[in-house]
Amino acid sequence: MNKRKLKESSGTDGECISQVQKMLRERLCHHRAMGKLFGIDQQYKHLLELLKQTTVCGESNSALIIGPRGSGKTALLNRVLKDLREMKQVKENLLEVHLNGLLQTNDKVALKEITRQLHLENVVGDKVFGSFAENLAFLLEALRKGNRTSSCPVLFVLDEFDLFVHHKNQTLLYNLFDISQSAQTPVTVIGLTCRQDILELLEKRVKSRFSHRRIYLMNSFAFKQYIRIFKEQLSLPAEFPDKAFAQKWNSNIQLLTEDKTVQDILQNLFHYSKDLRSLNFLLMLAVSNVTVRHPLITASDLQEASKQYRMDSKANIVHEFQKFIQRKAHCMYNFEKPVVMKAFEHLLQLELVKPIERPSVRSQREYLLMELLLDNNQIMDALQAYPNCPTDVKQWAASSLSWL
Amino acid sequence: MQKKKKRKGVGEDEACVTVSPSASVGDGRKPARRSAQTALAISKNCSFMCFCFSSGIMDTRQQSKIIYSWYGKPTNSDRKLRTLQYKGILIKSERSRKERCIQLGDFVLVEGENADQPFVAQLLDLYEDGAEQKHAVVQWFSHISEIPKNKQKLLKRRISSQEVFFDKVSGYDTDIAVETIIDSVLVIPLRLKDELPTRLKKEKIFCVKQSWDGKCFKALSPHTFSKLNEANRKEDGIPNSFNSFVPSDIISSAKKETKKAGLSATKTKNVEMEIESKHSASKSSLSKKRHSLRVANGIKNPTARKKLELNSPTRSPKSKLLEQEDIWALLDDDCDSQLLKPTAIKRKVKFTEVLSSPPKITCANDKLKSVFGTAEDQEVLSGTLRLSPYRKLEDSNEKVKSLNMEVDAIVLTGHKELGSQSPAVTPRSRRTCTQETSTRIAEQISLLNMLESKEEEDFLSSSDGSYSSSSEEEDSDVSCTPEKKTKPSRMFSTPKSSRKPSVHTPAKTPKKTPLPGTPRTPRNATPEIPRRSHAAQKPTSVLEEARLRLHVSAVPESLPCREEEFQDIYNFVESKLIDGTGGCMYISGVPGTGKTATVHEVIRCLQRATEDDDLPSFQFIEINGMKLTDPHQAYVQILELLTGQKVTATHAAVLLANLFCTPGPKRKTTVLVVDELDLLWTRKQNVMYNLFDWPTQKHSKLIILAIANTMDLPERIMMNRVSSRLGLTRMSFQPYTYKQLQQIISSRLNSVKAFEEDAIQLVSRKVAALSGDARRCLDICRRAAEICEFSSQKSADEIVRMTHITQAIDEMFSSPYIQAIRNASLHEQIFFKAILAEFRRVGVEEATVQQVYRQHIALCRMEGMQSPTVSDILAICARLGACRLLLLESSSKYLHMRVRLNISQDDVMYALKDD
C-alpha cells in the first residue's frame, strides 16, 4: 500500500530502483549466473584450454579445481562451459555429466545418474534399470566401445570431489581415470573440491591414473583489487535503460569507494575473509536498503549492513536471555527451586550450557556436571549491553568471571 | 577261434536286441510268430540279458536329471588300457521319462561352453575306462562361428547357420565325457554347389559341405562324404526296423486287427516322432507329448537301430557298391512292380494310413520269398524284419505325398542324396525314393542275412543253400567282418594313444569370439556413446603431435625397457600353451610401471603367433578387480567373456567350476588376466581360491596372470591354501630408473622434435627420484608441452625447454598448503599464529578453540586491530578446517572444539614469515 503510493509519487525513479534491485540481487545471490570472474584469468585459460583439447582433439584429461569455499570454483567452471558452448567447434559436441558428492552418496547412485545423464540405452524414461554390477559393466562397455576420433567426448564434473573419495574401493574414480588414460571414449574428469589434501586421499592406483593437473583458486588478490571488485559488483552496466540514473548511481559508487568509512568496513571484512561470497552478502544487505526515498547507497548503509552481518549470534542470544542468567545468579538468595530449574532448562535448550556427560537416568538433574559454552568476554559484553541489569549481577560477574 | 567268438558276440547282441523291445513293451501283445525266435534268443542269452540290464542300472551315473547308461554289453575290451567298448549309449531323462539311444556313427550335439551353441560331432567310439568313467571319441564339426574371422573370408560365400565344417584341426581333444552329449542330430553331407532343401531350413539339421583343417577349406573327400552319407542313411533306416513286429502281429491274429491297428498307429506315430525328434532339437509341446508316447516303447528304437547299425558304417565303399549293384538288379523289378501294385491297397486304406501297412508287408514278404526262394518260418520272419524299413519308408513317403503332413526330413534327405548321387533318376521322385530305399534294404538284408546265417551256424542247422542270392554277399561280408572288427579298434586306439602325450599338438583353431556383452537390462540395449558431430581435429603443430604421442592412452609401437619381463611372461605363457597345461603367474609392481601394458603386449604377440600358426590358439579374457562391484562378480564376468552367458554370481561359479573341472570337449587354452588382484579378496577368499585352483585341474587348460601392486601380497593377505595354489612363479616390476624413463619418452616421441634433450632428462630424473611412475612422467611432459604452446603462441617453432618443464613440475608437485596459507586472509593468518603460540605455551600440539581465541585476541591487541568475536573465530576455524589446513573435532562442541594442525609447524612458520 505504502510502496505503491511511493511509486506513484515518483514514477520513473521507482521503476529504476526496482530494476536496480533486481539486477544487483541477481548478480549477488545467484552464483550460478555467469558473473564476472576476478583475478583468475590464468586458471580460466588453463581450464578452457583443457576442455578445448578434449572437445576439439578428443584428448582425455583429468583435473582438479581446488580452492576454499566461496572462491569461485563452480563459477569458473560454469563460465568456461558457457564460453565453450558458444564456440562453433564445440557446439553439440560435448556430453556433460554433472555429479555432486552430496547427492550421489555411493557409486551405485552415481552410476545410475551417469547412465541417466548420458541417455544410454538402458534408460527408460527417467529410470535406470539393472543391478549395480550390470550398470557398471554396461557403462564401461559403452565407454570402451568409443575411440578418440569418432566418439563424442564426455565431460564428467564431480562437485564435492572429496566425498567421492570415500566410496568403496574408489571404484568410480578408478574407472573414470582409467578411461581417461586409455584409448577409449575421450573423457575429461573435472573434480571440484575445497580440500587441499585431496591427493593424499586417493588410493595409489587411482592417484597414478590421475593426471595431476590441479587448478588452484586461492583468492590471491590484494585489498586494492578487492575494492575494485566491490565497485564492479555495484556498478550498473552501460546498457541500463535510464542512462541518467545509471550515471548518478555509478558516480555514487565511485564516491563510496573513495570514502574512508567504506574502505574501513571493507578492509575489516577483507581481513576476516577474502572470499567474495561474504562481500556479496554484505552488499546484498546494503542494496536491500535502497528505496525510493533512499535511492543511493551510503556509507552508513554499509556500516549497518556490516554490523548486521557480523553480529555475534551467541552474544545476541545472551543479550536476550540475560535475565535467566541473572535469575540463576540470584538463585542462592531468594528464588524458588522450580523457577531456577525452568531457567536452567531454557539455557540448556539454547545450548549456552551443555552437560559434559551424557544425561543418564540415574544421575539427578541437579547434580549434573555442566560446561559453559560461552566465553567470559561474551558474558561481559552481554551484561554491559543489557540495559537494566541488577547491579549485584554485574558485581558478581565482575568478581567471579575475572578469574575464569 | 577268435573270429568265431566275435561273431558269436555279435549274434548275442542281436538276440538281445530283438528281445528287449518285447520285454519293454510287456503288454501281452507279444506276437506269436516272433515268440519262437524270441524264446530261442532268450534261452540262449538269458544270462547276458540280465547282465545287460543290470549293468545299465549300475552304470547309471546320477547326473542332475539325466542318466547315461551303456546300451548293450561291451563289444570289445582292451586289457592293457582296461577299457570296455560299447556300441551305444542310452540317455534317459529322469524327469520326462524319455530315453534316447545314441550309437556309434550317430551325430550328436555336445555341450559347449555356450549353452545356446552346442558343438556338433559324430560319435566314433564309446568306451569305459578303468575308473568307470564313460568316454566317447568323436569327430568334430565346426560351426562357422568357431572359425576365426580372418579365415572365414577364405570361404568367399555366405554360410548359412546350418552349415558346419568337417573339422580336421588336430588340436582338439576328441575324447570327451559321455555326460556332455546332449542329443542326437542330423548332419547331411552335401556337395559344394548344393543347397540345403528349403523345406529343411527351419529345422535343426546341419549340413556339411567342406572340411576345415585350421588353414583352409577343402571339399569333402569322396571317402568322408560317403562315410557321412552312410551314417546318415543308416540313421534313416533305424526308426523303421522295429516296426517289423507289426506284420507278425497281424499275421498271427486277424481278429485283433483293430486293436493292433491302434498299436501300429502308435508305433507309426512313434516312428514319425522318432524322425522328427531326431531332426528338430527344439522341443515344442507337441513333440513333448509325442515323446511321452514314444517312451512307452522306448527301448524298441535303440534295439532296432542297433541291429541295423552293425555293419554299415565301417564297410568300405567299394564292397558296398558291389552289394548295392547286386541288390539293385534284384530289387529294381520288384520295386517297379510294387509301385504299380499297391494302388488298390492304398485306396482301401486311405482313411488311415496306418492300416495300409499290413497288406504291404505281406506283399513285401511275398516278394522277398520270391527273391530268396525259401518259405521257412524263420525265413519269413527275417524277411519281414528285413523289409520293414522299406515298407516304412514307403509309408512315410506316402504320408508326405498324399496327406501333406509335416516335413519328413529323412525322405527329403533321401531325395537330395539320391539326386546328387545319380542325377539320372531324379524326375520320378517316388521311384527314386523307392530305389533308394531298396538299395538300403538290400544292404540291410545282406547284413541281416549274414548275421542270421551266423546265428544259424551257431544254433540252428541252417540251410545254406537256400540263400541263393545272399550267399555271395555273405562271403564278401564275412571277409570284411574281421576287417571291420579290427578297423574300429585300430581307429579308436589312435585317438586314445594320442590323447595322452599329445593333447596339445599345435593347431590353428578359431578364436572364440565371445558374444558382445549385451547387458541384461533391456535385453536389446547396446551400450554406446553417441558419435561426435564434428570430426576430431588433427594435430596441427609439432607440439600438439607430441602431446598426442605422450598421452598415456597412446599405444606405443613397442614397450621399451621391459624386454626382460616381457620375455619372461611370454615364455611362461608360451610353454603352458604348448604343453596344454594350466598355470598361474603373479606379477607385482608399483602403479605405473607397465605391468598391464606388458601383459597386453605379450598377449598381442601370442595372438600374432597363433595367427601365423606357430602356437595353438587360445582365448584371452581379462578381468579387473577395480571394475567389479563385488569380488564375486568376477565369476559373472569370466563366464560372460567365455561364453556370453549372463547369470548370477553363484550360478556362474558353479558353471565355471563345471567348465574347468570336467574333461571338457573341444576346449582351447584360456589365458585369464586378473588385474588388481587384491580387490578380489573376501573373508573366505573363495574367489581367489577358485581362481588359482582351476589351473591346477587336469583338464582346465587355464593360464592365469595375476597382477597386483604389492610384492608380498600372497603372504600378506592370502591364506596358505590360496597362496600355495598361486605357486611361486612370480615377477616384480621395478620402478623405472631415469634412464628408462628417458628412453620411454624418446621412443614415444620418436621422430617428433618437440623436446630438448635436457628437458627430457630433467623430467625423468625428477620422476624417477619420486616414484618411477611412467604415467606421471608422461603427464608432466604433456603439461610442459601445453605450457610451451601457451606461452609462445606467436613463434610457432618453439620446443619444450627446461623452463617449461620446471614450471610443469612445480605445478604438479608443489605443496598447496604453503600457498594456501599465504593467500589466506589476515585474521586467518593471525589465527595460525595464535595456534602456534598456544602450542608453544602448552607444549602439546592440540588446543581448544577457546584457548586459541584468547591468544588471538592478544595478538590482535598487539597489532592494534579490532578483535574478532567468537562467531568470527569459529567461522574462520570452520573455513580452515574445510580446506584441511586444520583438523577439527565435530563443531557441536563449540568453544571446546579441539584444533590441530594438518601441516608441520615449520611449514606454517615458513609461510607466515614473509608477510
Side-chain angles (χ1 to χ4, degrees), chain B residues 190 210 314 371 542 727 826:
Chain B
L190 290 178
Q210 282 176 302
T314 42
V371 170
V542 178
L826 187 62

Side-chain angles (χ1 to χ4, degrees), chain A residues 42 45-46 49-50 53-61 68-69 88-89 91-93 95 118 120-122 124 129-130 132-134 136-138 140-143 145 148-154 168-169 171 174-175 178 180-183 185 194-197 200 203-214 216 218-220 268 270-275 310-314 354 371-378 404, chain B residues 517 519-522 524-539 544 547-548 551-553 555 591-592 596 624-631 633 637 646 675-679 709-710 773 775-776 779 782-783 786 789-790 793 810-817 819-820 822-828 850 853-854 857 865-872 876 879 882-885 892-896 902:
Chain A
Q42 195 75 24
K45 273 183 194 162
H46 188 172
E49 204 58 33
L50 196 77
Q53 275 169 27
T54 306
T55 48
V56 178
C57 307
E59 196 178 304
S60 293
N61 274 313
R69 296 209 182 281
K88 202 176 65 153
Q89 297 156 294
K91 204 182 271 173
E92 291 166 12
N93 215 2
L95 294 169
L118 282 177
L120 292 181
E121 278 206 15
N122 56 349
V124 179
F129 292 98
F132 180 26
E134 278 171 349
L136 181 63
F138 192 90
L140 291 179
E141 177 70 29
L143 291 170
K145 272 191 175 174
R148 188 179 72 80
T149 46
S150 67
S151 298
C152 191
V154 186
K168 191 188 162 219
N169 287 344
T171 308
Y174 178 91
N175 285 311
D178 197 50
S180 81
Q181 298 243 318
S182 52
T185 307
C194 63
R195 289 183 67 160
Q196 305 283 348
D197 61 345
E200 290 153 41
E203 212 250 359
K204 60 180 183 296
R205 288 168 280 212
V206 182
K207 196 175 172 183
S208 168
R209 280 166 176 77
F210 171 57
S211 74
H212 283 260
R213 283 158 191 267
R214 292 169 294 178
Y216 286 105
M218 289 293 193
N219 295 327
S220 56
N268 221 328
F270 180 71
H271 280 163
Y272 281 112
S273 149
K274 280 163 127 182
D275 74 28
R310 296 193 34 220
M311 189 85 74
D312 189 333
S313 57
K314 291 258 172 171
K354 197 181 166 195
E371 194 178 34
L372 183 63
L373 288 181
L374 290 173
D375 197 66
N376 312 340
N377 296 341
Q378 283 174 299
L404 262 172
Chain B
R520 193 160 34 163
T521 23
N524 47 2
T526 45
E528 200 182 5
I529 297 290
R531 305 184 75 77
R532 53 189 302 149
S533 46
H534 303 271
Q537 206 176 54
K538 290 273 177 296
E544 270 181 37
R547 237 176 42 214
L548 265 187
H551 198 282
V552 185
S553 69
V555 181
T596 313
N624 187 325
M626 272 291 203
K627 293 179 179 170
L628 302 172
T629 52
D630 174 88
Q633 286 292 323
Q637 291 235 325
K646 291 209 105 195
D675 216 339
E676 317 294 359
L677 177 74
D678 49 332
L679 287 171
N709 288 131
T710 37
D773 187 336
R775 286 196 192 108
R776 187 69 52 83
D779 279 334
R782 211 152 54 89
R783 176 68 188 138
E786 235 169 69
E789 206 176 336
F790 210 60
Q793 258 148 0
D810 279 351
E811 230 176 64
M812 289 201 177
F813 291 109
S814 70
S815 163
Y817 295 112
Q819 209 55 40
R822 279 190 187 157
N823 284 316
S825 69
L826 187 62
H827 274 288
E828 282 162 355
Q850 195 161 22
Y853 177 56
R854 275 182 207 141
I857 287 172
M865 288 174 67
Q866 195 188 351
S867 54
T869 61
V870 177
S871 296
D872 285 334
I876 288 169
R879 267 206 302 273
C883 298
R884 286 299 186 281
L885 291 167
S892 66
K893 287 199 167 178
Y894 198 56
L895 273 176
H896 301 279
N902 198 24

Side-chain angles (χ1 to χ4, degrees), chain B residues 800-818:
Chain B
V800 181
R801 297 181 192 286
M802 296 275 268
T803 48
H804 302 127
I805 295 281
T806 341
Q807 202 183 331
I809 288 175
D810 279 351
E811 230 176 64
M812 289 201 177
F813 291 109
S814 70
S815 163
Y817 295 112
I818 291 171

Side-chain angles (χ1 to χ4, degrees), chain B residues 767-780:
Chain B
V767 173
L770 282 165
S771 59
D773 187 336
R775 286 196 192 108
R776 187 69 52 83
C777 197
L778 295 172
D779 279 334
I780 292 174

Side-chain angles (χ1 to χ4, degrees), chain B residues 17-72:
Chain B
V17 163
T18 42
V19 168
S20 42
S22 62
S24 81
V25 172
D27 55 358
R29 277 175 281 175
K30 216 178 281 174
R33 259 298 171 85
R34 215 194 45 197
S35 59
Q37 196 204 22
T38 309
L40 267 172
I42 289 175
S43 65
K44 184 80 186 157
N45 299 304
C46 197
S47 59
F48 161 64
M49 244 185 64
C50 292
F51 165 71
C52 167
F53 280 111
S54 65
S55 77
I57 292 156
M58 277 180 13
D59 283 354
T60 296
R61 200 181 125 172
Q62 203 71 30
Q63 265 226 345
S64 55
K65 263 144 220 157
I66 298 164
I67 298 168
Y68 292 83
S69 54
W70 291 122
Y71 170 69

